[in-house]
Amino acid sequence: MTEPIEWRISDSPVPYPEAVQAMEARVAAIRAGAARELVWLLEHPPLYTAGTSAQPGDLLQPDRFPVHASGRGGQYTYHGPGQRVAYVMLDLKRRAPDLRRFVHDLEEWLIRTLASFNVRGERREGRIGIWVARPDGREDKIAAVGVRVRHWVSYHGIAINLDPELEHFTGIVPCGIASGPASPFGVTSLYDLGILVAMAELDSALKSAFAEVFAAADAAAT
């Protein structure tokens, strides 16, 4: 019988290099059978990360915050206080070694989490992450997905905007999608949508939705 997934919550912001080092160590331990799978909930201090597809021209303010090269997929993104990051370290071989399906499950996890607050999050063809349609026709990104897999053990994961400083996203072109007054795309958060919940409530919703999505994924793989 497979051991249950460990959940870890960090109460203070975790420096990005420290988080990456911890993830890489845990991935190696999971692959060796020496540690359980892990979902790690945390916040970072303000910073930008560059995924493997990042374009140099999308870093608009390179001196604003620290910039970290990341092995995850995707382009530039912002992390900072008020944004819940969930790093997901799972052994995909025991579920289904299918990266496309895994990303779909991460998206579904976010969609169901948002639904618990009566927010309709949606996928969009050609645009990574989860989006919210606004009454004026604008579409705003509320959550990001960026993963890496090593020997079929996943790491990195998702980020969902509870109440970050949205102006900090203006230092980059988030995930290669230009935003701004003249653009039909932007960035939003639960608070920006009028959903005033605590981080602990968001964590609870994430845990519940994760159990739904990944229990179903486990069942489908057996």
Side-chain angles (χ1 to χ4, degrees):
M1 182 175 177
T2 304
E3 288 189 288
I5 293 171
E6 178 186 348
W7 286 79
R8 179 187 303 167
I9 299 176
S10 292
D11 295 327
S12 57
V14 179
Y16 189 76
E18 179 182 316
V20 171
Q21 184 178 29
M23 280 192 288
E24 290 180 342
R26 186 61 172 245
V27 165
I30 292 169
R31 181 169 179 252
R36 288 189 287 161
E37 297 173 307
L38 173 67
V39 179
W40 184 13
L41 304 180
L42 55 86
E43 293 171 274
H44 286 303
L47 57 91
Y48 298 128
T49 64
T52 54
S53 301
Q55 301 298 315
D58 288 344
L59 181 60
L60 305 178
Q61 299 177 22
D63 299 324
R64 185 171 190 180
F65 296 125
V67 180
H68 298 276
S70 172
R72 62 162 175 80
Q75 301 183 42
Y76 281 103
T77 194
Y78 166 76
H79 293 309
Q83 180 192 71
R84 178 52 96 204
V85 174
Y87 287 137
V88 184
M89 286 149 272
L90 301 181
D91 183 355
L92 301 185
K93 282 197 297 186
R94 78 172 185 84
R95 292 175 169 76
D98 184 335
L99 184 56
R100 190 179 299 270
R101 174 179 163 180
F102 177 58
V103 171
H104 184 277
D105 289 340
L106 292 175
E107 293 171 340
E108 184 64 24
W109 178 26
L110 288 165
I111 288 168
R112 294 194 190 195
T113 298
L114 291 168
S116 68
F117 301 111
N118 297 314
V119 174
R120 182 174 179 176
E122 299 177 305
R123 300 176 180 89
R124 287 292 182 265
E125 187 69 29
R127 283 188 262 140
I128 299 171
I130 300 301
W131 297 77
V132 174
R134 308 301 287 263
D136 62 0
R138 182 183 179 90
E139 293 188 344
D140 289 343
K141 189 171 186 175
I142 194 168
V145 177
V147 296
R148 186 173 183 181
V149 173
R150 180 175 292 170
H151 301 293
W152 290 112
V153 180
S154 68
Y155 59 121
H156 297 280
I158 60 100
I160 185 167
N161 295 334
L162 176 69
D163 185 28
E165 178 52 69
L166 296 179
E167 197 274 335
H168 289 174
F169 285 90
T170 63
I172 55 172
V173 178
C175 299
I177 304 295
S179 59
S183 171
F185 309 123
V187 181
T188 191
S189 66
L190 287 171
Y191 269 51
D192 186 48
L193 296 173
I195 310 298
L196 308 183
V197 299
M199 189 68 81
E201 293 175 271
L202 177 56
D203 290 346
S204 179
L206 282 164
K207 287 183 178 181
S208 295
F210 184 94
E212 293 173 6
V213 172
F214 286 92
D218 287 351
T222 58

